[in-house]
Amino acid sequence: MISIIIPSYNEEGNVSHTAEVVRKIMEKNNIPYELVFVNDGSSDGTWERLEAMARADERIVAVNFSRNFGKESAIFAGLETARGDACVLMDCDLQHPPETIVEMYKIWKNNDVDIVEGRKADRGKENKAYRGFSLLFYKLIKKASGLDMDAASDFKLLDRRAVDALLRMPERLTFFRAMSSWVGFKTEKVFFEVQEREVGESKWTTRSLIKFAINNITSFTSAPMQIVTVCGILTFIVSLIMGISTIVQKILGESDAGFPTVIVLQLLTSSIIMFSLGIIGFYISKIYEEIKNRPRYIIRDIVRKNDEGESK
Ligand code: UDP
Ligand code: MG
């Protein structure tokens, strides 16, 4: 059986349609499945719909968060709840075409692979600013951590082995896309065309995207801290040269002109120090986050038909 995990945040217009579409495709291809919907603290009627769907159909499991924890947490909650021999992650808005699941399933079933990774054949409709921003983000990630993720997506099939490996990773600040490639295993790719969103709009705001990018870059690399070290070395060299030239000028009796140098040096070093402190502070705040060891999410209820023990 495969578990299809669908994080849902304010998707009341999508959930039942998505479930219906996936159900049809799975049945047509004779794939045993369960649907694991994770309601990520939606403020609309998403949970009421999911709850009703889960009560009516034993192949649907509905997990409800106590508040919005973000898609990453929803993914991990889904992985933890899923009982399938493999898990597939897909978006609730059908931007990840469910037909591709069949393709992934066949590859997983007929070959000895553990992860089937969906890669974007094209990126669908995106505005220029978003496109530019994500290109820069993936360039940085690639430079810093060697993971090529431009065409990567969260649309993936993971064998139980890979799921268990992921669930054993203890960090609180997760980045599913990178973690699932970090765990290794035999990986196969399938390409899919990003579809138009069915109903509603994208949940990303510029602010949340920037936060996402910074978080993930710092989760997967300490390169920014190394940049600080390099800056430190560079300024040290510059100040050494300037220092020597000042002394030489002093000896030659031309030291009057030294005033600008002092100011330039002051500005330069203090700005670099502030910048470095900012970066170090950022890492410390992440260490703080991790060390608190809080759960990644809090579940309010789980609804599974014929499984009364777990429902509220
Ligand atoms: N999502 C979520 N929690 C959030 C934001 C989004 O579970 O805080 C879900 C959302 O319901 C959808 C998926 O993550 O199933 C992708 O979100 P969206 O379509 O807004 O992102 P985009 O496709 O624009 O990258
Ligand atoms: Mg979407």
Side-chain angles (χ1 to χ4, degrees), residues 91 93 95 197:
D91 281 1
D93 51 11
Q95 282 188 297
R197 191 170 228 289

Side-chain angles (χ1 to χ4, degrees), residues 228 270-284:
V228 173
S270 55
S271 63
I272 287 174
I273 287 171
M274 274 192 273
F275 179 65
S276 329
L277 281 178
I279 293 179
I280 291 167
F282 196 79
Y283 276 94
I284 291 178

Side-chain angles (χ1 to χ4, degrees), residues 1-4 82 84-88 108 157-160 163:
M1 181 183 76
I2 60 170
S3 302
I4 300 168
D85 305 302
C87 294
V88 177
W108 169 70
L157 180 146
L158 307 169
D159 185 85
R160 182 47 53 197
V163 173

Side-chain angles (χ1 to χ4, degrees), residues 20-55:
E20 195 54 28
V21 172
V22 174
R23 187 180 67 84
K24 281 217 181 90
I25 291 173
M26 293 301 120
E27 273 167 15
K28 206 174 103 203
N29 292 282
N30 278 322
I31 303 175
Y33 71 98
E34 70 170 354
L35 289 176
V36 181
F37 279 96
V38 182
N39 172 42
D40 184 12
S42 303
S43 53
D44 63 359
T46 305
W47 174 245
E48 285 68 32
R49 300 209 177 179
L50 290 179
E51 195 177 11
M53 282 156 57
R55 290 207 194 287

Side-chain angles (χ1 to χ4, degrees), residues 57-117:
D57 185 342
E58 72 265 357
R59 285 160 312 182
I60 296 181
V61 185
V63 178
N64 192 22
F65 278 180
S66 60
R67 66 168 168 87
N68 179 254
F69 281 94
K71 185 181 176 187
E72 289 287 321
S73 299
I75 290 175
F76 279 87
L79 290 174
E80 235 156 271
T81 312
R83 294 174 174 175
D85 305 302
C87 294
V88 177
L89 285 134
M90 71 175 274
D91 281 1
C92 195
D93 51 11
L94 292 181
Q95 282 188 297
H96 297 156
E99 295 82 14
T100 309
I101 299 178
V102 180
E103 217 179 305
M104 290 174 164
Y105 175 80
K106 286 186 178 145
I107 294 175
W108 169 70
K109 189 94 193 179
N110 302 327
N111 302 282
D112 184 28
V113 296
D114 305 305
I115 298 179
V116 187
E117 164 182 56

Side-chain angles (χ1 to χ4, degrees), residues 173 279-290 292:
L173 303 160
I279 293 179
I280 291 167
F282 196 79
Y283 276 94
I284 291 178
S285 75
K286 293 189 66 120
I287 294 170
Y288 179 58
E289 278 303 315
E290 295 288 351
K292 280 192 285 193

